[in-house]
Amino acid sequence: MLALSDLRRAWNLSPILSTWTPETGTIHRILLLKTIEGSYALRAYRYTPDECWRISCEHALIAYAQTHGLPVLSPLPLSNGESILEQEGHFYALFPIAPGQQIARGDLTLHEIMVMGRFLGELHQILVNYSHERVPHRSFTIDRTKTPATIDTIEKVIRSQPPGNGEDSQALSRLAERRAWLATTPSVNLEDLSSLEQQVIHGDYQETNLFFEDGQVSAVIDWDQSYVAPRAWEVVRTLHYVCKLEKNACRTFLEAYRCILPLTSTELEVAAAAYGWVRAHDLWHYQAIYLKGISGCEPFCSQGHFFLLRSDGLRFTISYLLARVHSILCRQTDEPKGKLLVQTQEGRSMRRYN
């Protein structure tokens, strides 16, 4: 991490009174600091010099979002006018602390869920015209032979660790369960996902990257994961990550989103099937912990078994469960709901999109 003396000198900060690290955030290192004049967040990127271009893409997208009225935080300029500090092959950016407060996932009420759904619609509305060439592109192709090979590599590393670690034992169990499932499950046609309209999305839309104030979203942060995908992909991801597929929360989020932008049942079902299949092959948290030595990802490996369980005990894959739940939600929310009104960011009322 950057020395505090170098930090003060680079951004011409007043004396630093205190520093602390946030409880959330796993991809990059974050240092929060309070000075006489204000509070800031220093982001220490884990990118290599060859990946520095990703930071420039992030900062350009932030500038665009801010220009178009989204509540985002721009990185503070250095004395030379640039926003990225490089020191000994490491890259840093300094941001002001976001206004408002963050709300833990378990403490989100249906009101915050509704606000999040509406705000994501507004965010997508603004990003629809942003150039696809100005953000990193994510591959949605799956190599069925690569995932088992990666699991083998991770398992070898885990077994080389000292015995007796319960988390390592659980990781081995989940990896074995995943390998067995992938070996017997037919592939999902990901070309269906590419047939949906594509645009730039936030990429990591969840409560840990949002701040709330006066019942509204006061800031959205962490734009470095933005990429090109269908809007439905980000909606499905949020229903899974944030709403945990709980029906009332999912219905509330989806209805609020559709107050801003239309989203069909077909789009959601295609995205849900593709999302489940891609997630089944996604081993990033195991790779981060066991292959890259990045701490902070452990909670992602301790969220239960690979399979999601229905109350009657039957096992369903992520893709099937998502498709089933979204199918139910879509049938309910595609029908006219009468005079449902919501408050937009500007405070005006808007009828639900039908």
Side-chain angles (χ1 to χ4, degrees):
M1 181 63 75
L2 187 67
L4 294 184
S5 57
D6 293 334
L7 169 61
R8 284 193 58 199
R9 188 181 308 109
W11 278 280
N12 193 28
L13 297 179
S14 58
I16 297 174
L17 302 178
S18 61
T19 64
W20 67 102
T21 56
E23 296 179 358
T24 59
T26 57
I27 297 178
H28 305 292
R29 292 174 295 167
I30 304 295
L31 179 69
L32 304 177
L33 54 135
K34 181 178 181 180
T35 72
I36 294 176
E37 296 177 350
S39 297
Y40 307 91
L42 177 70
R43 170 171 284 201
Y45 293 94
R46 296 188 187 272
Y47 294 134
T48 65
D50 290 340
E51 298 172 313
C52 181
W53 60 272
R54 291 178 173 270
I55 309 174
S56 299
C57 289
E58 174 200 3
H59 292 187
L61 181 56
I62 288 173
Y64 177 90
Q66 187 176 59
T67 300
H68 287 76
L70 284 177
V72 300
L73 304 171
S74 294
L76 299 179
L78 297 158
S79 58
N80 61 4
E82 299 294 328
S83 60
I84 305 170
L85 174 67
E86 179 180 3
Q87 188 174 92
E88 299 179 353
H90 299 285
F91 302 94
Y92 305 88
L94 187 67
F95 294 84
I97 290 289
Q101 63 179 351
Q102 292 185 292
I103 302 176
R105 184 168 299 171
D107 295 330
L108 290 170
T109 67
L110 287 181
H111 173 77
E112 280 98 30
I113 294 294
M114 180 271 291
V115 168
M116 288 183 65
R118 186 186 66 227
F119 184 81
L120 183 60
E122 295 171 351
L123 185 151
H124 285 167
Q125 208 170 37
I126 287 173
L127 296 186
V128 66
N129 293 321
Y130 195 75
S131 172
H132 295 190
E133 303 306 316
R134 300 185 68 186
V135 298
H137 281 234
R138 172 174 177 169
S139 173
F140 289 97
T141 60
I142 296 296
D143 182 350
R144 293 201 66 166
T145 64
K146 184 177 179 181
T147 304
T150 303
I151 290 176
D152 289 343
T153 301
I154 297 170
E155 287 176 333
K156 289 178 182 178
V157 173
I158 296 175
R159 291 193 176 100
S160 70
Q161 306 292 324
N165 187 311
E167 292 181 354
D168 290 347
S169 298
Q170 289 179 356
L172 286 172
S173 175
R174 295 189 183 102
L175 288 169
E177 194 174 37
R178 184 176 301 211
R179 181 198 287 105
W181 181 82
L182 289 172
T184 59
T185 303
S187 299
V188 171
N189 183 7
L190 295 179
E191 291 183 2
D192 292 340
L193 182 70
S194 63
S195 70
L196 301 181
E197 186 176 352
Q198 311 280 313
Q199 71 159 77
V200 174
I201 63 173
H202 180 274
D204 194 16
Y205 189 79
Q206 55 180 310
E207 81 291 339
T208 58
N209 290 328
L210 296 175
F211 287 77
F212 297 87
E213 190 173 44
D214 297 329
Q216 303 292 334
V217 173
S218 56
V220 53
I221 62 173
D222 287 4
W223 288 80
D224 66 297
Q225 297 300 303
S226 294
Y227 52 89
V228 176
R231 291 185 292 110
W233 172 274
E234 186 149 58
V235 170
V236 167
R237 183 184 185 276
T238 308
L239 296 182
H240 178 222
Y241 265 75
V242 179
C243 300
K244 295 298 183 183
L245 299 177
E246 194 279 320
K247 286 188 177 181
N248 287 337
C250 289
R251 185 181 298 114
T252 299
F253 184 95
L254 194 54
E255 288 182 354
Y257 182 90
R258 283 171 161 169
C259 287
I260 307 299
L261 289 173
L263 198 61
T264 68
S265 302
T266 299
E267 289 176 295
L268 282 169
E269 290 168 358
V270 167
Y275 175 82
W277 184 242
V278 171
R279 285 275 298 173
H281 289 267
D282 190 357
L283 300 166
W284 75 268
H285 42 294
Y286 294 104
Q287 291 172 302
I289 294 170
Y290 295 108
L291 303 186
K292 299 180 181 179
I294 299 175
S295 61
C297 300
E298 290 80 4
F300 294 96
C301 294
S302 58
Q303 296 178 351
H305 293 287
F306 165 64
F307 292 98
L308 297 176
L309 302 182
R310 203 172 66 175
S311 58
D312 60 8
L314 295 177
R315 288 184 171 186
F316 288 84
T317 66
I318 293 175
S319 57
Y320 182 85
L321 182 57
L322 280 169
R324 182 176 67 83
V325 172
H326 288 305
S327 178
I328 294 171
L329 291 172
C330 292
R331 283 197 297 271
Q332 291 172 333
T333 54
D334 276 349
E335 299 173 357
K337 292 278 187 177
K339 297 182 179 180
L340 173 62
L341 301 177
V342 298
Q343 291 297 117
T344 65
Q345 284 279 104
E346 294 77 17
R348 65 179 183 274
S349 294
M350 177 180 290
R351 292 187 184 276
R352 179 183 180 278
Y353 194 102
N354 288 310

